[in-house]
Structures are given as C-alpha cells and as structure tokens.
Amino acid sequence: MTIPIVYNIRSVAARWTSTIVAVAGIAGTVGVFIAMLSLARGFRATLVSSGSADNALITRAGATSEMTSGVAIDSVKIIQDAPGIARGPAGPLVTSEAVLMAPIPLLSTGTDANVELRGVSPNVLAIRSNIKIKEGRMFQPGLSEVIVGKNASVTYSGLTVGNTIALGSGRWQVVGIFDAGGSAFDSEVWGDAHLLNGAYKRPDTLSQSVTVHLASPAALQQLKDSLTSDPRLNVDVTREIDYYSKQSTRMTTLITTLGGFVAAIMAIGAVFGALNTMYSAVAERGREIATMRALGFGAAAVIISFSIEALLISFVGGGIGCLAVLPLNGLTTSTMNFQTFSNLAFAFKITPELLVKGIVFALTMGLIGGLLPAIRAARLPVATALREL
Amino acid sequence: MIRVDGSGKSNALIQVRGLDKTYRRGGEEIQVLQRLNLDVDKGDFVGFMGPSGSGKTTLLNLLGGLDVPTHGSITVASDEITNMSSNKLTQWRARHVGFIFQMYNLIPVLTAFQNVELPLLLTKLSKSERRKHVETALSVVGLAERMNHYPRQLSGGQEQRVAIARAIVADPTFLLCDEPTGDLDRKSADEIMELIHRLVKEYGKTVLMVTHDPVVAKRADLTLHLEKGLLVESGQLGVTAGGVA
C-alpha cells in the first residue's frame, strides 16, 4: 500500500511558499509552450482553411507556389474543357488568377506592409463558395473596383467600403468586404484579374494559377490524368487544401522549432525549480519520511509518494499555465507569409489537444524534477533521520 | 524472564546473541555494542538506561530492524531479523514493531485518526475494519473524541498518546519506546508511563524502553544499564545471577 495521497496534498498546501517557485516556473513554461504551438497551429489552420477539398489548383509544373508559377491563357482555355470540372450556368467553374503585392500602410504603425492582391475571375465566389460578401457588394468586371478580406480591412489603412486606394497605375474603389472564414484570403484584396494585370503592366496573357471547382472531390484524379497527360500543357494539379497545407509547412516548422527551443530552455529552468522545491521538501520532512519508513512503508512507497507530490505541483503549474494562455485563443496577429512575402493575419488556436499536451509537458517536468529528490527521500538513513529536529 | 547472560530459554520472544555494533568515523572504529546478549519474554517490560553515547538508541534501532549489527543475531518470535533483506525488514517492522519516539513523530498534516491509521494501510484490512481498529486504539489512550484534531491542536502529552495509539493499532509483537517521556513535563510523563504500564499489564504487551529518567525507568519490570557497550543488570525486582522473574 502506498502512502496516502492526502499526505502529499496537505504537505504541498502547508508548504505553499516554497512550492510556488516550482508552480510558477512550470506554469510559465507551459504557457509559452502552448502559446507557441497555438501560434503554429493557428497559422496552419488559416492557410489550410483557405483550401477546399472541392477545388483543384493548377500551377506551372515544378512551381513551388503561385508566386513562381505561370499559366498561359491558351493553357487556361484547354483546362476549361478538361473533364472533372463543375459547370455553372455561365460555363465551367474556373478562375484564372494573378497574385501581386502592393504596399499599403498598416493601421497600427502607419508603415507599409505587403498586401496580397489577387486578380480573380468574376465567377470566383461560385468556385470558392465558402467566401461571402459581408459588407457592400462584389466588384463589377471591367471596373476599377476591389473587394477586401475582413482581416485586411481592419489591418490596413483605407481598405473600407467607399474608399478609393492607389494600386499600381490606377485608383480603385473598395466596394465590398468579404469573409473567408478566417482563412488566408481574409488578408487579401481581390479585383478583376485583367484590370489588375494591366495596372501592374503585366501581360494579360499569363495567369499565375488556375483554380477549378471539381464536379466532385473524387474527380481530382480524372482532371489530373487529363491535364498531365496532355502534351500541350505543362502543369501540376493539386487539391487546393493540400496546396495550402504544404504552403504552411515552412512557417509552422519555424514557429514550432523556435517555440520548442524557447520552451526547452524554460523547461530546464522549471525542472531546476521543481528539483529545488522537492529537495527542500525532502530536507524539511526527513523525520516524517523516516517515521513512515520505520512504520513499514518501503522505499518504493516513498519514491511513489514524492513523485506524486512532484506531479501534483507540476499539474497545478500546468493547469495555471493553460488557464493563463486561454485568453489568447482567437486573438488575431499577423506575420510575413514567406511563400508570398505578404502579410498574413491569423489567430492563436488553442485546442483541447494542445491543453492536454501542455499538461503532459508539465507532468514530465514534474516527474524529472521530482524523481531524484524522491530517490534521496527513500535512501535517507532511517535511524538518523528519526532523531532530526 | 529477562536475562542478559545468553542463557535464556530458546523460545524467548526476543533473543539477542553476541551482538556487536561498530561505527567507522573518519579512520577510527567506534565499538558501540559489544557481544551483547538479551532474552525478553512476551509481556516483559524492560528499560534501558545509560549515559549519552552508551548505545541505548543503537540497541533499540537494531531491535527494531532500523539498523543492522556488525556481528551477532537478533531473533524475534523465531524470525532471525539480522539476515533479512532491507525489503523484508521493512515488512517485518510493519508486522512486529510498534515505535514510540521521544518527539512523537506524528505527521503534522494528518489528523490523529489518519496518523493512527498509517500502519493499518500496510495491512489487508478494509476501510471499515481500519476505522474500527483506529477508534479502539484511540479509545485505549483516551483520545477517541479528538480523532479529527491535527497534532498542532494537541498538547505534548496528547500527541504522545496518539503516537502510542499508532504504535499499538496493528497489534505488533512488541513496542520500542525511545525516551517516550523525554519531551514531556512530569505530570504528562506520569500519565504516559501509566498508559504504557497498562498496556503491559492489561493487554500483555512486550515493551522495551530507553530512558534517561530514573523515575520513568522504575515503571519497567527490569532496568538494564548500558555502559561502554555492555549490558549490566540492575533490576528492582530481585535480580538473580542471570535474570529476573
């Protein structure tokens, strides 16, 4: 039988002043750990949610992103006739798109930041059906009008409905704000692809990517087989959700690695905090430990008891760390998307799974910090410790 | 019958034969106990006196399985404990020894009830059986009504009575008392000694007690003196050449 856990709970409570150091260290480390992971997760979720399983993205073969891709207008016409593409009343659901960068001042600092301009086909909302106009209206083809993602409208200066902004060689009126469900599109500005290409003196015969709405998710293979086997084309076909998932990898790896490094450094400090707390617990309670040993509790029972105590402390620390970062959930921040060199707004995403990971991380730190003191407790010379004052 | 000449009957509850204990301090060997013999029967109450450093507590630690001798043997109820592994010795202590310490050694964060219950957690008793045993033990020491008090809420005498309840609750083979009244005033010390005496006389407990206090020592059936590592008889009940009846 093990030493009753009530002994550990009450001992921790009785020694809360020395316990607080370990609790604070572990709470801080878990907080940073979860914040970093939620940042990476939020970034990834933002990009991944930009893609749809019903859409396919067609880029030049070998291009690693839309920025390095180019699809000629002749190719777009061939693509429109390919099998597996859904068709609407006005024809195939295909949008050939141009991706450009425009410096627009940030509302927060007044300094310019790169905004992604996406030249799209007028039927884009039928292809990306999850995107809704939440204010104003859709731009009219052939007019210098743009619609703005909801994050872009609150991040950059002048991107409000009714306002006119300078883009390239022309002036454009903001006619609507769209909600892309928290995806990367929410950080973009969309306009007529033909006009935007002209404003930036780019050839109108070249798109950077083509996005098509599939007749069904299963139709991707049929489309892919058709396009990649066509000798007139030199394209890659990717399910849109996979494309954006891949785009997020570099940044999420960077955030996770950096975050992991910071958390690891902090964890070392937290483990020393736990070690210190537990060693002092053992030192202060030498007589109690010896008494238990004299009564017949074995060395294993003492090790288990002190390990449980360390786990208890780390659990409290982990819990506090989790609670401390919860308000970050949903908080929007922005960073450079290295794939497009544009500013991307995204939200911290704290999931139950992340909280569980945080608690497991805390318990691991507690166990590492508690084990050596627990072993020392079990090895105390009973006869000597019994007479300690 | 308590004997110190090694001639006790073979079925004595506690048999100590040729017990040596040597400590090494720096490069020097210090012999604390030398060729010590002792026989204690069930129901005996034996006191140990002697100057500081004479080996009283060392002897008690050896008898309680908290320390191991350099040479010699200790047999309790036919079990030789000197050859037991550390784990076996721990289990043996739980079953056979009840400790009463000078500083009571109660766990401060546990109530009187929980302190007394500790040794029973090592048995197979159910929760309700444990509760019954604890209540009985606390009744014996007159503290049944204070079972939910923490040690800090009790006087020194009461704390020692809780410690006695803890020592007897699992009905051990014998009790080892290390200066049980050393931290108490005379009145409380008398009450504690009265209680220990009652355990011997009414409940047939076997008690081995170390004390500095001659008044306390007088409550024992026989007081043995440790001097320079040797046991010397000086009982008050008509010690014969080899023992006392």
Side-chain angles (χ1 to χ4, degrees), chain A residues 225-245:
Chain A
D225 291 344
S226 165
L227 296 184
T228 53
S229 62
D230 191 326
R232 297 169 294 171
L233 297 174
N234 181 30
V235 294
D236 281 338
V237 181
T238 318
R239 198 181 290 281
E240 196 183 33
I241 198 165
D242 295 337
Y243 170 81
Y244 283 103
S245 174

Side-chain angles (χ1 to χ4, degrees), chain B residues 195-212:
Chain B
L195 178 56
I196 292 175
H197 197 254
R198 198 152 62 83
L199 292 176
V200 175
K201 297 304 168 196
E202 287 182 25
Y203 297 92
K205 296 290 173 197
T206 306
V207 177
L208 292 90
M209 174 182 72
V210 160
T211 183
H212 271 108

Side-chain angles (χ1 to χ4, degrees), chain A residues 32-57:
Chain A
V32 168
F33 176 76
I34 294 176
M36 289 295 185
L37 288 184
S38 67
L39 206 60
R41 195 151 295 204
F43 184 85
R44 183 177 163 75
T46 296
L47 276 179
V48 170
S49 66
S50 304
S52 161
D54 292 332
N55 289 347
L57 188 81

Side-chain angles (χ1 to χ4, degrees), chain B residues 1 3 16 28 41 47 62 113 143 161 186 193 225 235 242:
Chain B
M1 179 188 281
R3 299 181 73 96
V16 177
E28 195 185 351
D41 280 343
L62 292 169
F113 181 96
L143 283 176
R161 282 198 273 160
R186 174 55 60 199
M193 286 318 301
H225 284 260

Side-chain angles (χ1 to χ4, degrees), chain B residues 149-213:
Chain B
H149 286 62
Y150 287 91
R152 64 177 181 277
Q153 297 168 317
L154 302 170
S155 68
Q158 287 171 330
E159 280 194 74
Q160 191 61 298
R161 282 198 273 160
V162 173
I164 291 171
R166 182 180 65 187
I168 62 172
V169 72
D171 193 22
T173 307
F174 65 107
L175 300 179
L176 289 177
C177 312
D178 190 0
E179 302 270 13
T181 59
D183 208 42
L184 298 175
D185 58 44
R186 174 55 60 199
K187 183 172 175 293
S188 299
D190 286 344
E191 286 170 3
I192 291 299
M193 286 318 301
E194 186 55 42
L195 178 56
I196 292 175
H197 197 254
R198 198 152 62 83
L199 292 176
V200 175
K201 297 304 168 196
E202 287 182 25
Y203 297 92
K205 296 290 173 197
T206 306
V207 177
L208 292 90
M209 174 182 72
V210 160
T211 183
H212 271 108
D213 186 344

